[in-house]
Amino acid sequence: MKASRLSSKSIISAYIGCISRRQWNQIPSYFAANANWWINGNPARNPQAGDGSVASRLLNVQSLADNFDTYSLDILNIVAERDSVVAEVMGTGRGPLDLVYVNNVTMSFVLDRDGKIASLREYPDFNELNWVLQWFHDHGISGNSTHEIVSR
């Protein structure tokens, strides 16, 4: 049975809430076993662009978020129709030092019959992401980040 309009929105809202609360161990359960996570951009110029595994993408999200003293991912707008959901979110990281990071991201989800994420297409602001990665580099803060600065 396909997830209903309300439950699709609820599933994705809960998934985004787990990221905001840094509940990393719960996040994989939202994805189907064969899920694909695509990020916009040209893979020839940006190693993060294109298709990727959920495991590698989640590691990158966790590594980035864990570099901040505080981090939140807040839903600005969310629309669902049957098994498709589009969410506009704002990721905000504060600290260390005087760092303030804000990235507005649009995500498009397709859920499978079991209400698991089968496909995620993500459209982050790479200008902001590159800026914060350079800030971490300039301040000698590496944490666990596996992100790379991407070419423009």
Side-chain angles (χ1 to χ4, degrees), residues 82-104:
R82 292 184 286 282
D83 59 354
S84 297
V85 180
V86 176
E88 178 187 1
V89 299
M90 182 171 61
T92 305
R94 295 187 183 275
L97 304 173
D98 60 352
L99 175 63
V100 177
Y101 165 78
V102 177
N103 197 331
N104 291 291

mmCIF file of all heavy atoms in Angstrom, residues 82-104:
data_model
loop_
_atom_site.group_PDB
_atom_site.id
_atom_site.type_symbol
_atom_site.label_atom_id
_atom_site.label_comp_id
_atom_site.label_asym_id
_atom_site.label_seq_id
_atom_site.Cartn_x
_atom_site.Cartn_y
_atom_site.Cartn_z
ATOM 1 N N ARG A 82 0.494 12.016 -2.768
ATOM 2 C CA ARG A 82 0.658 10.562 -2.730
ATOM 3 C C ARG A 82 2.039 10.196 -2.196
ATOM 4 O O ARG A 82 2.348 10.499 -1.061
ATOM 5 C CB ARG A 82 0.342 9.938 -4.078
ATOM 6 C CG ARG A 82 -1.133 10.045 -4.456
ATOM 7 C CD ARG A 82 -1.454 9.353 -5.745
ATOM 8 N NE ARG A 82 -0.999 10.056 -6.937
ATOM 9 C CZ ARG A 82 -1.594 11.111 -7.479
ATOM 10 N NH1 ARG A 82 -2.670 11.604 -6.921
ATOM 11 N NH2 ARG A 82 -1.126 11.670 -8.564
ATOM 12 N N ASP A 83 2.882 9.565 -3.025
ATOM 13 C CA ASP A 83 4.181 9.097 -2.543
ATOM 14 C C ASP A 83 5.325 10.066 -2.845
ATOM 15 O O ASP A 83 6.486 9.741 -2.643
ATOM 16 C CB ASP A 83 4.500 7.715 -3.126
ATOM 17 C CG ASP A 83 4.542 7.710 -4.644
ATOM 18 O OD1 ASP A 83 4.211 8.748 -5.267
ATOM 19 O OD2 ASP A 83 4.901 6.672 -5.216
ATOM 20 N N SER A 84 5.008 11.269 -3.296
ATOM 21 C CA SER A 84 6.028 12.282 -3.606
ATOM 22 C C SER A 84 5.943 13.440 -2.627
ATOM 23 O O SER A 84 4.849 13.926 -2.324
ATOM 24 C CB SER A 84 5.840 12.810 -5.027
ATOM 25 O OG SER A 84 6.016 11.770 -5.959
ATOM 26 N N VAL A 85 7.103 13.874 -2.154
ATOM 27 C CA VAL A 85 7.168 14.978 -1.196
ATOM 28 C C VAL A 85 8.298 15.914 -1.626
ATOM 29 O O VAL A 85 9.387 15.452 -1.979
ATOM 30 C CB VAL A 85 7.449 14.474 0.243
ATOM 31 C CG1 VAL A 85 7.505 15.628 1.230
ATOM 32 C CG2 VAL A 85 6.425 13.441 0.668
ATOM 33 N N VAL A 86 8.048 17.205 -1.580
ATOM 34 C CA VAL A 86 9.083 18.208 -1.813
ATOM 35 C C VAL A 86 9.155 19.070 -0.562
ATOM 36 O O VAL A 86 8.138 19.560 -0.075
ATOM 37 C CB VAL A 86 8.780 19.076 -3.059
ATOM 38 C CG1 VAL A 86 9.824 20.174 -3.207
ATOM 39 C CG2 VAL A 86 8.736 18.216 -4.312
ATOM 40 N N ALA A 87 10.383 19.223 -0.064
ATOM 41 C CA ALA A 87 10.596 20.025 1.143
ATOM 42 C C ALA A 87 11.662 21.071 0.884
ATOM 43 O O ALA A 87 12.706 20.773 0.300
ATOM 44 C CB ALA A 87 11.015 19.131 2.307
ATOM 45 N N GLU A 88 11.358 22.285 1.315
ATOM 46 C CA GLU A 88 12.342 23.362 1.338
ATOM 47 C C GLU A 88 12.784 23.474 2.792
ATOM 48 O O GLU A 88 11.943 23.661 3.684
ATOM 49 C CB GLU A 88 11.711 24.661 0.854
ATOM 50 C CG GLU A 88 12.645 25.838 0.897
ATOM 51 C CD GLU A 88 11.944 27.157 0.574
ATOM 52 O OE1 GLU A 88 10.723 27.157 0.341
ATOM 53 O OE2 GLU A 88 12.634 28.184 0.596
ATOM 54 N N VAL A 89 14.079 23.315 3.023
ATOM 55 C CA VAL A 89 14.589 23.328 4.396
ATOM 56 C C VAL A 89 15.707 24.347 4.527
ATOM 57 O O VAL A 89 16.321 24.762 3.535
ATOM 58 C CB VAL A 89 15.097 21.930 4.828
ATOM 59 C CG1 VAL A 89 13.973 20.908 4.773
ATOM 60 C CG2 VAL A 89 16.273 21.473 3.988
ATOM 61 N N MET A 90 15.965 24.744 5.769
ATOM 62 C CA MET A 90 17.067 25.644 6.066
ATOM 63 C C MET A 90 17.944 24.986 7.116
ATOM 64 O O MET A 90 17.493 24.718 8.231
ATOM 65 C CB MET A 90 16.566 26.997 6.563
ATOM 66 C CG MET A 90 17.707 27.978 6.823
ATOM 67 S SD MET A 90 17.147 29.673 7.163
ATOM 68 C CE MET A 90 16.164 29.434 8.627
ATOM 69 N N GLY A 91 19.181 24.702 6.731
ATOM 70 C CA GLY A 91 20.159 24.182 7.669
ATOM 71 C C GLY A 91 20.910 25.347 8.285
ATOM 72 O O GLY A 91 21.399 26.218 7.559
ATOM 73 N N THR A 92 20.989 25.366 9.609
ATOM 74 C CA THR A 92 21.673 26.443 10.320
ATOM 75 C C THR A 92 22.671 25.838 11.298
ATOM 76 O O THR A 92 22.294 25.027 12.146
ATOM 77 C CB THR A 92 20.672 27.319 11.100
ATOM 78 O OG1 THR A 92 19.672 27.788 10.196
ATOM 79 C CG2 THR A 92 21.369 28.504 11.760
ATOM 80 N N GLY A 93 23.920 26.244 11.152
ATOM 81 C CA GLY A 93 24.957 25.815 12.077
ATOM 82 C C GLY A 93 25.582 27.031 12.746
ATOM 83 O O GLY A 93 25.830 28.035 12.083
ATOM 84 N N ARG A 94 25.821 26.913 14.041
ATOM 85 C CA ARG A 94 26.456 28.010 14.792
ATOM 86 C C ARG A 94 27.648 27.452 15.555
ATOM 87 O O ARG A 94 27.578 26.370 16.112
ATOM 88 C CB ARG A 94 25.471 28.639 15.753
ATOM 89 C CG ARG A 94 24.309 29.319 15.037
ATOM 90 C CD ARG A 94 23.429 30.093 16.013
ATOM 91 N NE ARG A 94 22.307 30.671 15.316
ATOM 92 C CZ ARG A 94 22.330 31.837 14.679
ATOM 93 N NH1 ARG A 94 23.416 32.550 14.652
ATOM 94 N NH2 ARG A 94 21.247 32.282 14.068
ATOM 95 N N GLY A 95 28.700 28.262 15.573
ATOM 96 C CA GLY A 95 29.913 27.860 16.268
ATOM 97 C C GLY A 95 30.601 26.742 15.519
ATOM 98 O O GLY A 95 29.985 26.092 14.679
ATOM 99 N N PRO A 96 31.835 26.598 15.742
ATOM 100 C CA PRO A 96 32.660 27.209 16.780
ATOM 101 C C PRO A 96 32.962 28.681 16.485
ATOM 102 O O PRO A 96 32.691 29.166 15.394
ATOM 103 C CB PRO A 96 33.940 26.369 16.744
ATOM 104 C CG PRO A 96 33.998 25.816 15.362
ATOM 105 C CD PRO A 96 32.576 25.667 14.904
ATOM 106 N N LEU A 97 33.503 29.312 17.489
ATOM 107 C CA LEU A 97 33.836 30.732 17.421
ATOM 108 C C LEU A 97 32.610 31.528 16.993
ATOM 109 O O LEU A 97 31.540 31.344 17.531
ATOM 110 C CB LEU A 97 35.038 30.948 16.492
ATOM 111 C CG LEU A 97 36.304 30.147 16.844
ATOM 112 C CD1 LEU A 97 37.363 30.308 15.776
ATOM 113 C CD2 LEU A 97 36.837 30.553 18.211
ATOM 114 N N ASP A 98 32.774 32.412 16.016
ATOM 115 C CA ASP A 98 31.670 33.282 15.593
ATOM 116 C C ASP A 98 30.969 32.783 14.332
ATOM 117 O O ASP A 98 30.230 33.517 13.687
ATOM 118 C CB ASP A 98 32.184 34.705 15.377
ATOM 119 C CG ASP A 98 33.274 34.792 14.311
ATOM 120 O OD1 ASP A 98 33.740 33.730 13.833
ATOM 121 O OD2 ASP A 98 33.663 35.917 13.953
ATOM 122 N N LEU A 99 31.170 31.535 13.981
ATOM 123 C CA LEU A 99 30.622 30.982 12.741
ATOM 124 C C LEU A 99 29.099 30.930 12.758
ATOM 125 O O LEU A 99 28.493 30.460 13.716
ATOM 126 C CB LEU A 99 31.161 29.566 12.521
ATOM 127 C CG LEU A 99 30.594 28.797 11.327
ATOM 128 C CD1 LEU A 99 30.940 29.502 10.014
ATOM 129 C CD2 LEU A 99 31.102 27.380 11.325
ATOM 130 N N VAL A 100 28.503 31.424 11.664
ATOM 131 C CA VAL A 100 27.070 31.263 11.422
ATOM 132 C C VAL A 100 26.935 30.789 9.972
ATOM 133 O O VAL A 100 27.355 31.467 9.038
ATOM 134 C CB VAL A 100 26.284 32.572 11.611
ATOM 135 C CG1 VAL A 100 24.810 32.368 11.275
ATOM 136 C CG2 VAL A 100 26.450 33.103 13.021
ATOM 137 N N TYR A 101 26.355 29.597 9.822
ATOM 138 C CA TYR A 101 26.179 28.964 8.518
ATOM 139 C C TYR A 101 24.690 28.788 8.266
ATOM 140 O O TYR A 101 23.959 28.297 9.124
ATOM 141 C CB TYR A 101 26.881 27.597 8.537
ATOM 142 C CG TYR A 101 26.517 26.649 7.414
ATOM 143 C CD1 TYR A 101 27.051 26.813 6.151
ATOM 144 C CD2 TYR A 101 25.682 25.566 7.645
ATOM 145 C CE1 TYR A 101 26.744 25.915 5.127
ATOM 146 C CE2 TYR A 101 25.377 24.661 6.630
ATOM 147 C CZ TYR A 101 25.911 24.848 5.380
ATOM 148 O OH TYR A 101 25.614 23.970 4.374
ATOM 149 N N VAL A 102 24.240 29.198 7.082
ATOM 150 C CA VAL A 102 22.840 29.020 6.694
ATOM 151 C C VAL A 102 22.814 28.504 5.258
ATOM 152 O O VAL A 102 23.399 29.122 4.362
ATOM 153 C CB VAL A 102 22.042 30.345 6.793
ATOM 154 C CG1 VAL A 102 20.610 30.139 6.322
ATOM 155 C CG2 VAL A 102 22.074 30.895 8.205
ATOM 156 N N ASN A 103 22.159 27.368 5.056
ATOM 157 C CA ASN A 103 22.051 26.810 3.711
ATOM 158 C C ASN A 103 20.600 26.429 3.464
ATOM 159 O O ASN A 103 20.022 25.625 4.195
ATOM 160 C CB ASN A 103 22.958 25.587 3.554
ATOM 161 C CG ASN A 103 23.193 25.232 2.098
ATOM 162 O OD1 ASN A 103 22.356 25.475 1.240
ATOM 163 N ND2 ASN A 103 24.351 24.646 1.829
ATOM 164 N N ASN A 104 20.026 27.030 2.437
ATOM 165 C CA ASN A 104 18.666 26.692 2.021
ATOM 166 C C ASN A 104 18.748 25.592 0.977
ATOM 167 O O ASN A 104 19.448 25.737 -0.025
ATOM 168 C CB ASN A 104 17.954 27.925 1.467
ATOM 169 C CG ASN A 104 17.687 28.920 2.567
ATOM 170 O OD1 ASN A 104 16.871 28.669 3.439
ATOM 171 N ND2 ASN A 104 18.398 30.036 2.550
#
